[in-house]
Amino acid sequence: MSFKKFLYSRFYAAVCKINPARFCKIKNDNRPVSPYKLVFFCGRTGTEYLNASLASVYKSWDTIPEVIITTDGTPADVIQQKLMKWPQKVEILTWDFCATALKENGRGDLYEYAAKDVWGKKLVGICYCAGKFPILYSDTDILWFRSPVLEDLTGKTMVKMCVDVDHNYSQPLLEAMHQTDMLKIAPLNAGLIYAGGDFSKFPQWNELCKYLSEKPDHRTEQTSFAILNNYLNQGNSFATEEIFIQVDDMYSFKYTKKYKPNIWARHYVNLKGTSFWRDFIYLLMGR
């Protein structure tokens, strides 16, 4: 690494530590409440990104969503202490709460999956919330630049993901579920998911949940949602012109919104330590 790149990385590490979202002035206004819940998965060390993502929602959306934060086991009060002020209802749920509720409804296998794997904890949070109401799940390393345009999910079961840069799937899971043809279509990323309804409508749901409880790996969560997207919502995902992913501008000073003015949001896959904070500073300084 060159000295210039070293300084660049150290500068944005310092930016992260000061929690810059605290400089975003949040107040109640006349914007309506979003017709879905905005859901995050966050632990003790991710609250700076969570706050920045929330600040980008506040600065960019035409509505203000109620927020649910599911955690990796971090106590709710720890998250609450670090959380920025939010003008709508915020609920913090541990993974164990979500997984226990699923277990009580016959999904003990998903509880086992979550107990074994951190991304299983994310999956059970999404499954629990989506079974209650429409949700827009967002990883904390997503920044928003305008309101998303989302269809009404009343009476529907849906999983809608964003397009990825590669097929980052679990090959053993695809083979076990006879879903290897998914490698021939656009890859999907679980960083952003619009979802709602009963996932058991997927004919192989029991088989999928059993596999997850027995053979979890670091890609089974994303692969599972991609399988559901392919069945419940085939051929329908957020385009790269809507939810943008780029992985080669780690040391650039160029603001994403300047060269991608029409995107709704960007997911900073593998670049949260640099490009994420660069764009957030631009966003924070803007109107």
Side-chain angles (χ1 to χ4, degrees), residues 36-40 53 57 61 122 126 135-144 148-150 159-164 188-195 221-222 225-226 229 237-239 242-245 264-267 269:
Y36 46 82
K37 314 280 189 180
L38 180 60
V39 176
F40 294 95
S53 188
V57 169
W61 284 19
K122 170 183 166 180
I126 294 173
I135 66 167
L136 182 63
Y137 170 82
S138 171
D139 277 356
T140 57
D141 59 344
I142 288 179
L143 292 177
W144 291 87
V149 180
L150 304 174
V159 171
K160 184 175 182 179
M161 301 165 68
C162 57
V163 175
D164 207 343
L188 298 175
N189 185 284
L192 186 82
I193 305 174
Y194 187 44
E221 163 261 333
Q222 178 157 281
F225 283 122
N229 191 146
S237 58
F238 294 111
E242 296 168 337
I243 310 300
F244 182 58
I245 296 178
W264 302 349
R266 176 173 172 179
H267 184 194
V269 178

Side-chain angles (χ1 to χ4, degrees), residues 40-51 69-80 82-83 92-95 118-119 121-122 137 139-140 272:
F40 294 95
F41 175 65
C42 185
R44 187 183 302 268
T45 61
T47 53
E48 294 86 0
Y49 293 93
L50 170 62
N51 285 332
I69 302 164
T70 64
T71 82
D72 58 0
T74 301
D77 60 338
V78 173
I79 301 292
Q80 187 65 57
K82 296 183 177 182
L83 189 65
I92 303 175
L93 308 174
T94 65
W95 77 265
V118 64
W119 301 118
K121 294 172 173 61
K122 170 183 166 180
Y137 170 82
D139 277 356
T140 57
K272 59 188 289 186

